[in-house]
Amino acid sequence: RISFQLRKHICIDIKHEYEARTGRMCKPPLQSSRRKNIEFEPLSTTALILEDRPSNLPAKSIEEALRHRQEYDEMVAEAKKREIKEAHKRKKIMKERFKQEENIASAMVIWINEILPNWEGMRSTRRVRELWWQGLPPSVRGKVWSLAVGNELNITPELYEIFLSRAKERWKSFSETSSENDIEDAGASAADREASLELIKLDISRTFPSLYIFQKGGPYHDLLHSVLGAYTCYRPDVGYVQGMSFIAAVLILNLEEADAFIAFANLLNKPCQLAFFRVDHSMMLKYFAAFEVFFEENLPKLFLHFKSYNLTPDIYLIDWIFTLYSKSLPLDLACRVWDVFCRDGEEFLFRTGLGILRLYEDILLQMDFIHIAQFLTKLPEDITSEKLFSCIAAIQMQNSNKKWAQVFASLMKDNKEGDKNHSPALKS
């Protein structure tokens, strides 16, 4: 908008220019109106409503002028209301943020001074579990994850360096020669290994692309490449599978390089992750069957809706489990899911899946097969921690007095159960 004073100066400049060119003086307007004899287009909504019309148009009536004044006053009042509302909203957000920061700061003191020094004795206490549920302070997150995941594989930083050296030698051999005979020394075909290495390169550039830190030239690109490359040498029976890069990236953001590798290798050695990354169809089907038991128990209407379209869990769960939700949820929310996953184990991964379905149940009930699959493949970006964890808390992981572990164990005993619930997507 241009202020009235500025418009006044523009008019004076126009007047002086006219006088200079014509040699005639402009007579001052007879009326006291501010703009009646100035014939150029009004420059704001205020001018349109409050100013008099140009001289070549009929003048406003008193009623019209009053109505315009009223409309202008209403516009100003509405604008003030919006401004006050926005100010209150900003104040509320800032207040919540300060409160959250205070909670994180106080929790951090408790974790550092009380819990971590007495880890084994306190990790299972009710107080610690409740504090854990609220989310770990970022400053202790990596340490707690490492302790919770454990190191059953007894990997040392020195062992990581050994496998990293092997990976670097392999990369060097691929860059120096394309001869299959020269690189046939790692127990797998050169084509398979080269494809695996190329897949790692491709996936790194796709890992949290909006952060840019894992892109080529970014501060964490080489680090992520190293951890993934070392793992393919450490576990050639598993190799590299798409989705691993997201898990490794989250660990790298919270841990030092060697510690991230140790946690990564141990995490992928857990039964659920091993079943998925080795694509063990039989085990995966049992996990899906166990998930459906609790799906039907907690969300019967949505369960029947999915059944009516023959929409099986593998269609949406595989991507969630492969990346431990780090690709599907906002990063800060995914980290909070990881917090409780490290506390509760694989059960929480499936409980989180049910929490997501509960959160969007009303929307999903209105959708058909295609739209459900599309929606669950790319979840809304505005999903909040409070809403999701409220839904997760409402999920009961108990069926006929059996908990997750008991239901899964009973499915493991029944080999026929997997055949009965064979998912079409896995068959293909």
Side-chain angles (χ1 to χ4, degrees), residues 76-225:
V76 171
E78 190 64 32
K80 285 182 178 179
K81 281 182 184 178
R82 285 197 302 270
E83 190 176 338
I84 292 170
K85 188 177 180 181
E86 288 295 322
H88 281 310
K89 188 178 179 180
R90 288 194 297 270
K91 187 176 180 181
K92 184 179 179 182
I93 291 172
M94 290 300 296
K95 189 176 180 181
E96 289 174 354
R97 188 175 296 171
F98 285 137
K99 184 179 179 181
Q100 186 179 16
E101 289 175 357
E102 287 176 0
N103 291 338
I104 290 172
S106 60
M108 180 184 66
V109 172
I110 296 171
W111 279 101
I112 293 175
N113 296 335
E114 299 179 34
I115 301 172
L116 290 176
N118 306 289
W119 175 252
E120 292 301 330
M122 294 189 68
R123 64 178 296 179
S124 299
T125 62
R126 183 175 178 179
R127 180 193 177 204
V128 171
R129 289 182 64 81
E130 288 176 353
L131 197 61
W132 207 330
W133 174 268
Q134 295 167 16
L136 297 170
S139 57
V140 301
R141 177 167 273 151
K143 180 65 175 176
V144 175
W145 286 0
S146 292
L147 290 170
V149 171
N151 188 11
E152 292 180 356
L153 299 174
N154 294 317
I155 302 174
T156 62
E158 293 74 22
L159 190 63
Y160 166 63
E161 292 297 334
I162 291 171
F163 285 108
L164 178 57
S165 297
R166 290 185 186 178
K168 288 179 178 179
E169 287 174 9
R170 183 184 296 182
W171 298 332
K172 187 178 179 182
S173 69
F174 279 129
S175 64
E176 289 177 350
T177 177
S178 60
S179 171
E180 189 171 308
N181 295 327
D182 292 338
I183 50 176
E184 196 69 48
D185 60 349
S189 75
D192 288 344
R193 293 201 314 279
E194 189 168 9
S196 180
L197 290 174
E198 286 301 315
L199 190 58
I200 290 175
K201 287 182 182 178
L202 187 63
D203 271 11
I204 288 175
S205 65
R206 295 170 174 170
T207 306
F208 299 121
S210 60
L211 297 181
Y212 298 105
I213 56 176
F214 295 106
Q215 309 301 303
K216 192 168 185 179
Y220 290 102
H221 175 272
D222 293 343
L223 195 57
L224 181 55
H225 198 202

Side-chain angles (χ1 to χ4, degrees), residues 2-57:
I2 298 178
S3 67
F4 172 73
Q5 288 296 328
L6 182 55
R7 292 201 300 270
K8 183 178 178 182
H9 287 303
I10 291 171
C11 294
I12 292 170
D13 290 341
I14 293 171
K15 174 186 171 186
H16 287 164
E17 185 178 349
Y18 176 79
E19 290 174 350
R21 288 184 179 181
T22 62
R24 289 184 291 176
M25 297 290 291
C26 288
K27 294 181 180 180
L30 299 174
Q31 299 178 13
S32 60
S33 171
R34 287 175 294 173
R35 291 175 49 92
K36 188 171 181 180
N37 294 317
I38 301 173
E39 297 183 7
F40 60 85
E41 186 179 355
L43 298 170
S44 69
T45 307
T46 305
L48 285 170
I49 294 177
L50 296 184
E51 303 293 338
D52 288 340
R53 291 197 182 99
S55 59
N56 62 325
L57 295 176

Side-chain angles (χ1 to χ4, degrees), residues 167-356:
K168 288 179 178 179
E169 287 174 9
R170 183 184 296 182
W171 298 332
K172 187 178 179 182
S173 69
F174 279 129
S175 64
E176 289 177 350
T177 177
S178 60
S179 171
E180 189 171 308
N181 295 327
D182 292 338
I183 50 176
E184 196 69 48
D185 60 349
S189 75
D192 288 344
R193 293 201 314 279
E194 189 168 9
S196 180
L197 290 174
E198 286 301 315
L199 190 58
I200 290 175
K201 287 182 182 178
L202 187 63
D203 271 11
I204 288 175
S205 65
R206 295 170 174 170
T207 306
F208 299 121
S210 60
L211 297 181
Y212 298 105
I213 56 176
F214 295 106
Q215 309 301 303
K216 192 168 185 179
Y220 290 102
H221 175 272
D222 293 343
L223 195 57
L224 181 55
H225 198 202
S226 295
V227 170
L228 294 172
Y231 183 78
T232 60
C233 292
Y234 174 68
R235 291 298 299 266
D237 59 319
V238 179
Y240 177 77
V241 182
Q242 281 186 302
M244 285 183 177
S245 63
F246 280 88
I247 297 176
V250 173
L251 291 169
I252 286 169
L253 290 173
N254 290 278
L255 290 161
E256 296 297 324
E257 183 176 349
D259 293 329
F261 177 80
I262 293 168
F264 181 71
N266 279 277
L267 194 57
L268 266 56
N269 198 52
K270 303 292 182 184
C272 181
Q273 278 61 55
L274 206 55
F276 276 77
F277 282 111
R278 294 179 79 169
V279 196
D280 185 336
H281 285 184
S282 177
M283 284 290 290
M284 291 170 73
L285 290 168
K286 288 178 175 59
Y287 277 111
F288 295 145
F291 174 81
E292 287 199 299
V293 169
F294 294 96
F295 187 179
E296 185 176 17
E297 179 77 20
N298 285 275
L299 305 165
K301 283 177 66 177
L302 190 61
F303 177 79
L304 291 175
H305 184 63
F306 277 28
K307 279 290 183 185
S308 68
Y309 286 111
N310 196 29
L311 199 150
T312 49
D314 48 285
I315 292 172
Y316 51 93
L317 268 184
I318 286 179
D319 194 44
W320 294 353
I321 302 300
F322 261 120
T323 62
L324 302 180
Y325 295 96
S326 56
K327 184 181 176 183
S328 309
L329 298 174
L331 183 56
D332 57 340
L333 179 51
C335 284
R336 188 174 170 190
V337 170
W338 278 48
D339 292 342
V340 188
F341 162 59
C342 289
R343 186 194 78 171
D344 293 353
E346 65 185 36
E347 173 187 326
F348 190 72
L349 295 179
F350 297 94
R351 190 180 180 191
T352 299
L354 292 172
I356 292 171

